[in-house]
Amino acid sequence: ICIVIILSFLIPIISFFPETIHSIGFDLIIPDDSIAYDTFLELSEVFGYGTMSPYSLIFDGTKSNSKIETAEAFKFMQDTISQLATLKQTPSLESFSGIAVFDGVSVPFNLYQDAIECGSSTSCENEMYRTISYLAENDANSPGDYPIATKIVTALNVDPYTPEGTGWIEDARDILDSMSSNKYDVHLQGSASVVYDVVETVYDSFPLMITITTLTVFILMGLFFRSIVVPLRSIITIGLTEGFVFGLAVLIYQHGMLDWTGIRCFGSTLHGDISWLAPVMSFSVIVGLGLDYDVFLISRILEYREKGYNDESAVLIGLYKTGGIITAAGIIMTLAFGGLLLSHTITLNQWAFYLSTAVLLDTFVIRTVVVPILMGFTGKYSWWPRKLVDPTKDVSQL
């Protein structure tokens, strides 16, 4: 009954784990009481989040040595921009600025030629012509008679570092891949896209990291205890801890489960997301802590089992002998990690939450309740295929 109650509590929370939204947002890594944070928010509100971190669309004719100042190139640029303008983060041509698009309007190639003839100096009386000419002089990679590349500046109507902003990267790349040209390549450049690619590379490697860690735990625990059952149980219990903590983080930081408390470190974030660093940094630490307590408890149980105590008695004695030490260690680690909950940096708050919650769950639920129950289920097979002495004692003979 006890294990059913515990699992009925853990599993619903674990089910929220797949909903994790990891973010590269600036608001998660800048202390929220700093001048830099206030300045970032103020400038973003005045000029727009997208203007603070714009993208550049690089139209490059290098592969065919084709000029960018041709009617064909202008049509290709404008067709590409028109497709990007269908995305909700760049909903109109006003999101783009360059020689082919100006002030929310596509620039006809003949008008562009007139602007170049007019020039960018004050002697050109047409302000729009002067601006287009200025853009041509500054955005072409070769200001001579044969420019082969230019850039179109793109400003999103959302923060490029939020999940909605990084979603634009994926959609924009799909569009750019579908726009084919034998003469021109299109490249998307921006600080947010660089960080996004780094984070995606990390998370692409995360499953491999989990697999290698799990196999390492299984092999080392199996060799140390000369058993298959012991490492399997360790992996299951550590998995319960990891899943519970990751799921609870989603409920708190994305769904705002504890917003009613008014406690800053447990409040939902500005964009309802979790810093990409927190899950990655905490996973291995949680595995290490859980394994440490597990080995400490199981080795003591094995010690008494080898002394001839029966399985139930060995579990009771081992739990009794290590319970105080594991509890004290858990409280110390919780206080150590929990100190970061006082930080004004949300990433550190979230990391502290992952680690502190994992330690508390592992200390007071997993090691003290779940492990003994599981060992009670497996009974004499808890150490299989290892052969132990026949039991001759019980707890009353301690």
Side-chain angles (χ1 to χ4, degrees), residues 151-277:
K151 69 178 180 181
I152 304 293
V153 178
T154 307
L156 277 60
N157 59 6
V158 297
D159 185 348
Y161 291 90
T162 62
E164 189 176 3
T166 54
W168 181 86
I169 299 175
E170 298 175 352
D171 294 337
R173 285 174 173 171
D174 289 340
I175 290 175
L176 296 181
D177 289 340
S178 67
M179 300 295 294
S180 60
S181 172
N182 296 325
K183 292 184 177 181
Y184 305 101
D185 291 321
V186 188
H187 308 284
L188 182 63
Q189 188 275 332
S191 56
S193 62
V194 174
V195 178
Y196 173 77
D197 287 340
V198 170
V199 172
E200 286 301 296
T201 300
V202 171
Y203 272 87
D204 286 343
S205 302
F206 201 22
L208 178 61
M209 171 186 168
I210 294 173
T211 302
I212 293 175
T213 302
T214 302
L215 289 175
T216 301
V217 169
F218 184 86
I219 293 171
L220 293 179
M221 290 287 285
L223 291 174
F224 182 79
F225 289 102
R226 288 178 284 165
S227 170
I228 294 176
V229 178
V230 171
L232 282 175
R233 185 201 41 73
S234 295
I235 290 170
I236 290 172
T237 54
I238 292 173
L240 285 174
T241 301
E242 294 270 11
F244 175 82
V245 172
F246 281 47
L248 190 59
V250 172
L251 287 173
I252 291 175
Y253 293 109
Q254 292 181 203
H255 295 286
M257 187 177 74
L258 296 181
D259 284 357
W260 61 271
T261 64
I263 302 175
R264 181 188 52 78
C265 60
F266 295 136
S268 58
T269 58
L270 185 63
H271 301 286
D273 44 23
I274 294 174
S275 172
W276 71 275
L277 280 168

Side-chain angles (χ1 to χ4, degrees), residues 108-119 124 129 132-133:
F109 181 65
N110 59 349
L111 187 148
Y112 171 78
Q113 291 178 309
D114 293 340
I116 295 301
E117 291 180 6
C118 189
C124 178
Y129 282 8
I132 293 174
S133 181

Side-chain angles (χ1 to χ4, degrees), residues 40-49 51:
F40 171 73
L41 291 181
E42 185 175 348
L43 290 175
S44 297
E45 290 173 1
V46 173
F47 296 104
Y49 285 97
T51 305

Side-chain angles (χ1 to χ4, degrees), residues 60-376:
D60 183 14
T62 302
K63 69 178 181 181
S64 60
N65 197 33
S66 300
K67 289 183 66 174
I68 204 69
E69 294 180 340
T70 64
E72 180 183 1
F74 266 59
K75 183 180 185 305
F76 176 67
M77 286 189 284
Q78 290 165 357
D79 288 345
T80 302
I81 293 169
S82 295
Q83 289 294 316
L84 293 173
T86 62
L87 302 177
K88 64 179 181 179
Q89 299 92 334
T90 49
S92 69
L93 295 181
E94 293 182 355
S95 303
F96 305 88
S97 177
I99 61 173
V101 179
F102 176 74
D103 200 22
V105 178
S106 296
V107 177
F109 181 65
N110 59 349
L111 187 148
Y112 171 78
Q113 291 178 309
D114 293 340
I116 295 301
E117 291 180 6
C118 189
S120 60
S121 65
T122 54
S123 60
C124 178
E125 297 181 357
N126 189 309
E127 184 178 353
M128 183 178 69
Y129 282 8
R130 290 202 306 270
T131 303
I132 293 174
S133 181
Y134 174 82
L135 290 174
E137 292 173 1
N138 287 273
D139 290 347
N141 76 327
S142 49
D145 296 331
Y146 204 82
I148 58 175
T150 189
K151 69 178 180 181
I152 304 293
V153 178
T154 307
L156 277 60
N157 59 6
V158 297
D159 185 348
Y161 291 90
T162 62
E164 189 176 3
T166 54
W168 181 86
I169 299 175
E170 298 175 352
D171 294 337
R173 285 174 173 171
D174 289 340
I175 290 175
L176 296 181
D177 289 340
S178 67
M179 300 295 294
S180 60
S181 172
N182 296 325
K183 292 184 177 181
Y184 305 101
D185 291 321
V186 188
H187 308 284
L188 182 63
Q189 188 275 332
S191 56
S193 62
V194 174
V195 178
Y196 173 77
D197 287 340
V198 170
V199 172
E200 286 301 296
T201 300
V202 171
Y203 272 87
D204 286 343
S205 302
F206 201 22
L208 178 61
M209 171 186 168
I210 294 173
T211 302
I212 293 175
T213 302
T214 302
L215 289 175
T216 301
V217 169
F218 184 86
I219 293 171
L220 293 179
M221 290 287 285
L223 291 174
F224 182 79
F225 289 102
R226 288 178 284 165
S227 170
I228 294 176
V229 178
V230 171
L232 282 175
R233 185 201 41 73
S234 295
I235 290 170
I236 290 172
T237 54
I238 292 173
L240 285 174
T241 301
E242 294 270 11
F244 175 82
V245 172
F246 281 47
L248 190 59
V250 172
L251 287 173
I252 291 175
Y253 293 109
Q254 292 181 203
H255 295 286
M257 187 177 74
L258 296 181
D259 284 357
W260 61 271
T261 64
I263 302 175
R264 181 188 52 78
C265 60
F266 295 136
S268 58
T269 58
L270 185 63
H271 301 286
D273 44 23
I274 294 174
S275 172
W276 71 275
L277 280 168
V280 174
M281 291 194 303
S282 61
F283 172 79
S284 296
V285 178
I286 294 173
V287 171
L289 290 170
L291 197 60
D292 180 46
Y293 295 163
D294 193 55
V295 170
F296 187 55
L297 172 61
I298 298 304
S299 60
R300 203 63 188 271
I301 294 174
L302 178 60
E303 176 187 340
Y304 282 93
R305 181 63 187 82
E306 289 184 321
K307 288 181 178 181
Y309 287 90
N310 60 39
D311 294 299
E312 293 80 6
S313 297
V315 171
L316 286 172
I317 297 170
L319 191 61
Y320 168 73
K321 293 290 187 179
T322 61
I325 298 175
I326 291 177
T327 300
I331 292 174
I332 291 171
M333 295 304 292
T334 300
L335 292 175
F337 293 135
L340 292 175
L341 291 171
L342 302 177
S343 170
H344 285 270
T345 303
I346 298 176
T347 295
L348 295 181
N349 293 159
Q350 292 178 348
W351 190 48
F353 171 80
Y354 276 95
L355 298 181
S356 300
T357 305
V359 170
L360 288 174
L361 179 70
D362 204 76
T363 300
F364 294 104
V365 179
I366 301 298
R367 300 304 144 216
T368 56
V369 180
V370 176
V371 170
I373 291 175
L374 291 179
M375 295 195 72

